[in-house]
Amino acid sequence: MVSTSPYHCLTLSLLLLPPLLFTTYFLSAFPKPPEQLFLHPSLASLPPDARSWSIYPEDFYSGGAYAEFPSGRVRYWLLGPETGKKIVLIHGLSIPAIVWKDVAPALASNGYRVLLYDLYGRGYSDAPDTIYNTSLYTTQLALLMQYLNWSRANIVGVSMGGAIAATFTAQFPHLVDEGVALIACAGLMESNDISRTAKFMSSPLVRTLASSRPVRAYLQHLTNQTVTNSKGGVDDDSAILEIVRLQSAHLPGYNHALSSSLRDGPIRGQAKAFMADGWSGKRVLIVHGTKDRTVPPKYAGRIEGMIRGEGGEGGEEKQMYGNKGRGEREERHQHVLSTTTRSETTSREKDDKGGRGVKTRKVMIQGGGHDLTISHPEDVVRMVGELVDGRGRWV
Ligand SMILES: *[C@@H]1O[C@H](CO)[C@@H](O)[C@H](O)[C@H]1NC(C)=O
Ligand SMILES: *[C@@H]1O[C@H](CO)[C@@H](O)[C@H](O)[C@H]1NC(C)=O
Ligand SMILES: *[C@@H]1O[C@H](CO)[C@@H](O)[C@H](O)[C@H]1NC(C)=O
């Protein structure tokens, strides 16, 4: 094959030259300059007569301010005495910090220093056009704490916020004080737990369609209709649902934030975070409603097992939830949660030291649904107070 004739040399170099040039060109050519992260506006951009301002205004809580970070502006509120023990409250997938409306002021008046904020893409925080994954959420809180000079805090999260609290504890254990509360916590959800509608809505095609102008106009039309249908006075639940609808209709980044969170966010696949070393030395409160249809109650037991280093997927859950022996077990662990709660609110608990120096307390609220911070604020306030102070059942 090796030829030394000049003719062959020429063909060989003609064959080799173009790819060589091509490679040199690509090695020396510089990529396009990086694009700026595009930020969709928040509820703050809506006109003053927009309905969102009357349901969930910017100063819904006192002590509100904005902080600017690389992924966009964040709205936060600080309540309660400055010297109080610090508590961060993290909301869930679709409802912004209004979900803590009865919990935050009560904790503040009990003497705690409470930090609330809107996650990116919700409420009054910007909606960066990016992937809503764990990193985005945990760095948002880490930056916010850094901005406020908070070196440590107790972390409380509901639903997806619980999953953020968990991944935050795994990634930044030095920023987490002793107490972590996971309320109706997501994080281990499986594909079949997520409703077909949610999956459909988060498919890339629908995502594009949902943020397109005609679809948003239609959603706006729908929200306008519900306004006219309701007779002026709105009860709490419908006000909260309306905030979800208003965000979906008026904020171009909201639907993307939700669907990206469903696909890429901490709702699923966080087993590693629950089993991380960062939990050692913490007190972990797990609260779940037995009638939670959004995050099935079976996950409370799995999460507790993983945090305690017991592997999670064990038979414990069957013991707790299987039909056999359930009544008996309930009876043994049953007690009324507080004097003010309705009598059907009872709990089954287990609180002893786990294998790695982590203390857990699991409370199943009988008949409780997913939105426990709205349906059972007094129980949440009392249990979070006991957790942070290490009193009551923690002694
Ligand atoms: C999250 O997404 C960003 C890009 O937006 C990426 O750089 C980062 O590595 C992702 N983090 C995780 C944990 O996947
Ligand atoms: C944080 O601390 C720095 C330096 O001590 C101070 O200048 C800044 O005002 C503090 N920030 C807040 C939000 O308290
Ligand atoms: C909804 O109502 C507001 C005023 O209440 C109006 O300005 C807006 O055009 C309406 N939007 C749609 C899509 O009907």
Side-chain angles (χ1 to χ4, degrees), residues 239-276:
I240 282 183
L241 285 181
E242 188 146 9
I243 273 296
V244 171
R245 279 196 296 263
L246 286 165
Q247 292 179 106
S248 181
H250 294 278
L251 302 186
Y254 178 77
N255 296 326
H256 167 72
L258 253 57
S259 55
S260 178
S261 299
L262 282 169
R263 297 169 75 85
D264 318 303
I267 288 171
R268 304 177 293 155
Q270 299 305 312
K272 249 183 154 166
F274 290 115
M275 294 189 283

Side-chain angles (χ1 to χ4, degrees), residues 76 78 146-149:
Y76 69 89
L78 281 170
Q146 193 275 341
Y147 178 83
L148 297 169
N149 298 333

